[in-house]
Amino acid sequence: MSTPDNTRIAVIIGSVRKGRFGPVIANWFTDRVREYGGVDIDLIDLAEHPLPTSLTEPDETTAASAAALAERLGAADGFVLITPEYNHSYPASVKAAIDWTGVPWQAKPVAFVGYGGHGGGARAVEHLRCVFAEVHAVTVREALMLRFPWTLFDEQGQLVRPDAVEANTKDLLDQLTWWAAALREAKATRPYAA
């Protein structure tokens, strides 16, 4: 149930590749957020928002998609980005989403759920911290790093060993909701000027 006091969090699936694992993680994570309580979730799948790339100019479709994405991001108090690690960094779809929307990220917190091989997405997350600083977002300290996630979930999308990440999930949500409330209150008193 939504209330005006609930924190509005956009959970973003960063990968747009065919056969991606992000939706499995996103479904599991949003269930954890619902259990946490006091949060309204907007699950955003970047695969549903075709955006221009650095090599293309926006056309009518991609410009409208970027505007729709920016509107959804603008309605959020904070974000959780579920990102894979591709070639020791984050996917181009995530960079396009940041570059083509910009302003809705300002003075809002961003938390990360990284996934991948041995590093569990850590390099992608660390690269993104620098990018989000440039658009005036605040990244939270706690992050989830899921190593070889395809071995961590069963066929129903349930985490096989939930105790391994439950404490980190709570810490991530505690930090994210604290920053979301603090920044929302601060902006109500004194608008943020980037």
Side-chain angles (χ1 to χ4, degrees):
M1 181 175 172
S2 177
T3 71
D5 295 331
N6 279 0
T7 303
R8 298 175 309 253
I9 299 298
V11 176
I12 304 161
I13 302 171
S15 175
V16 298
R17 286 186 178 181
K18 187 176 182 178
R20 64 208 167 121
F21 201 77
V24 173
I25 297 170
N27 290 334
W28 166 80
F29 186 80
T30 55
D31 285 346
R32 301 295 75 72
V33 176
R34 286 184 190 96
E35 290 171 6
Y36 184 82
V39 175
D40 294 331
I41 304 164
D42 181 12
L43 182 59
I44 299 174
D45 188 346
L46 293 184
E48 297 171 0
H49 291 276
L51 297 171
T53 68
S54 59
L55 302 176
T56 63
E57 288 298 316
D59 58 22
E60 190 174 312
T61 301
T62 56
S65 183
L69 177 59
E71 185 175 339
R72 289 176 75 180
L73 296 173
D77 296 315
F79 312 98
V80 176
L81 179 58
I82 299 174
T83 183
E85 183 175 306
Y86 294 157
N87 298 319
H88 288 209
S89 195
Y90 53 88
S93 51
V94 171
K95 186 68 162 69
I98 297 166
D99 289 349
W100 287 101
T101 57
V103 173
W105 304 98
Q106 289 180 359
K108 294 180 184 178
V110 182
F112 302 99
V113 177
Y115 64 97
H118 291 286
R123 291 169 289 220
V125 168
E126 290 310 307
H127 290 175
L128 281 164
R129 289 185 191 280
C130 296
V131 175
F132 277 113
E134 188 61 25
V135 294
H136 299 254
V138 176
T139 61
V140 302
R141 165 65 178 81
E142 194 65 42
L144 295 181
M145 303 301 174
L146 303 174
R147 295 177 64 224
F148 304 104
W150 43 92
T151 68
L152 301 176
F153 290 85
D154 64 21
E155 291 181 4
Q156 288 74 43
Q158 297 303 309
L159 202 61
V160 176
R161 295 186 323 274
D163 55 312
V165 295
E166 291 296 337
N168 289 66
T169 303
K170 183 184 181 308
D171 291 345
L172 180 152
L173 291 170
D174 285 347
Q175 291 175 18
L176 180 67
T177 55
W178 187 92
W179 276 106
L183 291 170
R184 183 173 58 191
E185 290 167 17
K187 288 184 292 187
T189 304
R190 182 177 170 196
Y192 183 77

